[in-house]
Amino acid sequence: MAGGGFAVNGDVKDFNGGRMTASVVITCIVAASGGLIFGYDIGISGGVTTMESFLKRFFPSVLRKMSNAKQNEYCVFDSQVLTSFTSSLYIAGLLASLAASRVTKALGRQAIMLLGGATFLIGSAINAAAVNVVMLILGRILLGFGVGFTNQATPLYISEVAPPKWRGGFNTAFQFFIGIGVVVANVINYLTSRIHGWGWRLSLGLAAMPAALMTIGTLLIPDTPTSLIQRGKIEQARLALQRAHGPNTDIESKLADLVAADELSRSVKEYPYKIILRRQYRPHLVMSVAIPLFQQMTGINIIAFYAPILFQTVGFGSNSALMAAIILGLVNLGSILVSTFVVDRFGRRFLFMQGGAQMIICQVAVACVLGAKIGASGEGTLSKAYSGAVLMLMCIYAAGFGWSWGPLSWLIPSEIFPMEIRSAGQSISVAVNFAVTFVLAQTFLAMLCHFKYASFLFYAGWILVMTLFIAFFLPETKGVPLESMHSVWKEHWYWSRFVREGKPTCMP
Ligand code: BGC
């Protein structure tokens, strides 16, 4: 392959696309801000759905049920109507991410990100002005489209633009922005919950801020060279490459590689969702489903939900929810930064396995403490000391997630697919992420109510399975240029039997 300089034994030797320029850094940061809207929504919806004025207006029956609820520690928040409101966004996001694959081909990655920002913007306006449940749901569907489009395009954008040597670090910026979105939303909820009657409108409406920020930012960056070439814009691709690699770098061989890969991918005429089913793409298909599925099965969103209740038990009083969110949010942000600096040095597999082991230990320990102290009846209480211990464990768990399954679940799908199935593969990944989030959100509260502390063991079991999966089935992709990714499967003890067959895979 022209200009690659990549040695198959895994070392990256002076790859010509390996320079880090200011332009690349700024472009990737702007693109990663796409994570803001996802994070903002994750952070804002939980708080809004506990605001009394919001419930009174849209879900009065939930409010009545809550005030009559039998005070079992595990069952207080079990309400299907409310969860279905929250998770309606994920169904819309799922559909949008699947559609995004097609739209990308015609319009490019940047356009999808713009579309995502704009739909999210409109959704937040409708939500802020909602006078009935229909408006509320319509707004949420638009937010879902926004997040679906953005989450599909942004990780791919970063991986296509970042230098291979630092691709992992750059890509963690997406998760970092998700984390910032969550923290900002929690602070806003804390402030607006004091505004009687219409605080929820402000919370929902302020979603327009991150959406505007990312939309304007996206207008200022170019599309990725790969995406431009796919749409026949060779001259623009040359300019984008030159801008990314700096004025004194020879980008012609890199351009030739991209053009050749594009031609190869054009020779595959079938529909991408059909191509990915071919035997030679089996590892890609498996990863596109397994990685997002496993990310959700770590139970991260469940921990995020349960933490405020524990903070209350520990005695933080009325500020408890904010405290919980902020402490966990900050631990989360810090740990993502660890990933940023380590992922291209120690590799993806190391972080996945270390983070996995850390999370398993914490989940088992939490289950033991809750089991021993609150018991199966749910009527016991935690002393301050035990609550403190549980919270500490949750923070250690959140850190483990923050440098492993959090950012890496967006990174891996963005870097493993060859060009002819890249958009489709990423769409499947995002759709699976949303589908599983939806199912877990719908079932977790009922599960906590029935299985009690054993729910935590359930997730620990899953983390054990996924850690073993990584150990046996995920090849290391650290430093490998996208155009050489084929080699990691070819050298893998299991996947080699699939990828050796068939036509050579198209690259960048
Ligand atoms: C996950 C979300 C999760 C968030 C937590 C993301 O990578 O996909 O489900 O809520 O991380 O920060």
Side-chain angles (χ1 to χ4, degrees), residues 1 6 15 109 155-165 167 171 226 254 258 261 348 411-419 422 477 479-487 489 505-508:
M1 164 181 330
F6 168 71
F15 173 68
R109 303 216 188 290
L156 289 182
Y157 185 105
I158 301 173
S159 281
E160 284 180 350
V161 169
K165 261 194 269 182
R167 186 177 60 238
N171 215 293
T226 308
K254 174 83 180 163
L258 294 173
R348 286 70 165 143
L411 170 64
I412 298 294
S414 78
E415 63 182 10
I416 58 167
F417 301 118
M419 208 159 158
R422 188 171 299 158
T477 48
V480 183
L482 299 189
E483 54 266 53
S484 307
M485 205 53 85
H486 190 52
S487 64
W489 308 108
T505 318
C506 314
M507 311 279 186

Side-chain angles (χ1 to χ4, degrees), residues 38-39 42-43 90 151 174-180 182 292 295-296 298 300-302 304 332 336 401-402 405-410 433-434 437:
F38 185 36
I42 295 170
Y90 289 95
N151 286 10
F174 180 65
Q175 179 75 13
F176 191 73
F177 275 102
I178 296 180
I180 294 183
V182 172
Q295 187 206 43
Q296 289 306 312
T298 58
I300 183 65
N301 288 316
I302 275 76
N332 182 39
I336 298 167
F401 177 86
W405 284 91
L408 302 190
S409 306
W410 298 104
N433 184 308
F434 286 170
T437 309

